[in-house]
Amino acid sequence: MASKNFLDTLTPTQRIVAGVLVLIIGGIAALLRIQQEKHAPPGGPTNDNRNVRFGTPAPAERDPNSRDAYLIERPQYALSYNDSKRTANWVCWNLTKGDIGNTPRLSHFDPDPDLPGAFRKVKHDDYTGSGFDRGHLCPSKDRTDSADNNAATFYTTNIVPQSPACNRGGWERFESHCRDLTRDGSELHIAAGPHGTGGTGEKGPHDAIGGAKVNVPSATWKVVLVVPAGTARPGPDSKMLAVWMPNDQSVPEAWKPYQVSVATVEQRTGYKFFPLVPDDIAAPLKAREP
């Protein structure tokens, strides 16, 4: 004798109730998905990624057809990669006191294993002899709590051709200043990237370098949201910092001369930083002049 289906054991009334429950559960699940998508960073990951907790500067997709805004997301940072320029459009990361340790710095950069096969892979040697540094966007020292975290900053998707004066001078000093801000427990949300084409290194001006024809930017920028210790989200007591540095040999060993408002970087790049922070909180912080 064949066993009865579960539904066959129910009365007509019970079947109706079961059907209604299925519809209700399905509706709740759909609403949860909609809410998740509504609050996800624009064009960014839908999971709770601390590196883009307050959104991405511009859309990027994990679609190989999105060649000039390809999203790479890893625990150490998230970035939008531009295959035409062979550099990132932007890199976003979260920085806390716990991210800073004593892991030794690596000395070699590798092609990013997460790039689609059809993308051009930039090699360490594409920078060799160019007169430009391999300039980190997410700094090596910002991920020195473990060897694995530090190694992730040495993919060539996380570097740009940067003039030695800028990379070793004002840019490095601002990186150090950001790490100093975490000492009191403050949490930083940072975005950085290149802008334009045409920079000047130790061997003169170039628009591109290496066999991969890596775009040499005319400037590099960085935007920082500082959330005070003990607060989960930005508020009036938070602050924002930004720098815009020319990619040439004129940059001194100081970052203050290149400090600008976050609104200025938005205007120059067309990006919107930290879009998930309410405008009534973000707008005054972005407009604040140095």
Side-chain angles (χ1 to χ4, degrees), residues 163-179:
S163 69
C166 180
N167 183 45
R168 305 172 200 178
W171 189 259
E172 191 279 330
R173 300 301 185 275
F174 190 59
E175 289 177 340
S176 296
H177 177 71
C178 291
R179 287 188 288 273

Side-chain angles (χ1 to χ4, degrees), residues 81 86 110-112 120-124 126-127 156 212 214:
Y81 186 73
R86 321 290 198 227
D110 293 313
D112 197 319
R120 181 67 181 262
K121 307 301 190 298
V122 177
K123 300 177 181 179
H124 179 96
D126 281 311
Y127 283 71
T156 54
V214 183

Side-chain angles (χ1 to χ4, degrees), residues 2-221:
S3 60
K4 288 187 176 182
N5 183 288
F6 172 72
L7 291 176
D8 293 335
T9 66
L10 301 178
T11 66
T13 300
Q14 289 173 326
R15 291 181 186 180
I16 292 173
V17 172
V20 171
L21 287 174
V22 169
L23 289 173
I24 291 173
I25 292 171
I28 292 173
L31 284 173
L32 288 174
R33 284 195 302 272
I34 291 171
Q35 285 297 105
Q36 184 184 44
E37 293 169 359
K38 180 180 178 181
H39 294 291
T46 56
N47 64 326
D48 186 17
N49 182 337
R50 70 167 179 139
N51 296 303
V52 287
R53 186 175 302 155
F54 300 115
T56 61
E61 302 291 342
R62 294 186 197 87
D63 181 354
N65 292 318
S66 181
R67 297 187 72 111
D68 290 345
Y70 182 77
L71 178 67
I72 294 178
E73 179 191 3
R74 44 179 55 108
Q76 298 81 13
Y77 52 80
L79 66 81
S80 168
Y81 186 73
N82 190 314
D83 188 48
S84 297
K85 294 186 174 182
R86 321 290 198 227
T87 66
N89 297 310
W90 48 259
V91 179
C92 295
W93 68 102
N94 173 239
L95 179 62
T96 67
K97 186 177 180 180
D99 294 312
I100 305 165
N102 298 309
T103 299
R105 174 190 172 97
L106 298 180
S107 60
H108 192 276
F109 292 80
D110 293 313
D112 197 319
D114 290 343
L115 282 179
F119 283 35
R120 181 67 181 262
K121 307 301 190 298
V122 177
K123 300 177 181 179
H124 179 96
D125 291 344
D126 281 311
Y127 283 71
T128 301
S130 67
F132 291 90
D133 284 359
R134 300 169 182 88
H136 279 84
L137 293 173
C138 176
S140 167
K141 288 185 180 180
D142 283 14
R143 293 291 183 258
T144 46
D145 58 327
S146 75
D148 286 345
N149 286 341
N150 187 253
T153 69
F154 282 83
Y155 291 134
T156 54
T157 50
N158 183 47
I159 63 173
V160 296
Q162 200 166 24
S163 69
C166 180
N167 183 45
R168 305 172 200 178
W171 189 259
E172 191 279 330
R173 300 301 185 275
F174 190 59
E175 289 177 340
S176 296
H177 177 71
C178 291
R179 287 188 288 273
D180 289 344
L181 292 175
T182 68
R183 290 179 179 175
D184 67 355
S186 293
E187 184 173 345
L188 275 59
H189 298 270
I190 308 173
H195 182 77
T197 298
T200 302
E202 289 179 327
K203 296 184 178 181
H206 286 84
D207 289 344
I209 61 169
K213 302 299 181 186
V214 183
N215 183 72
V216 177
S218 58
T220 50
W221 54 265

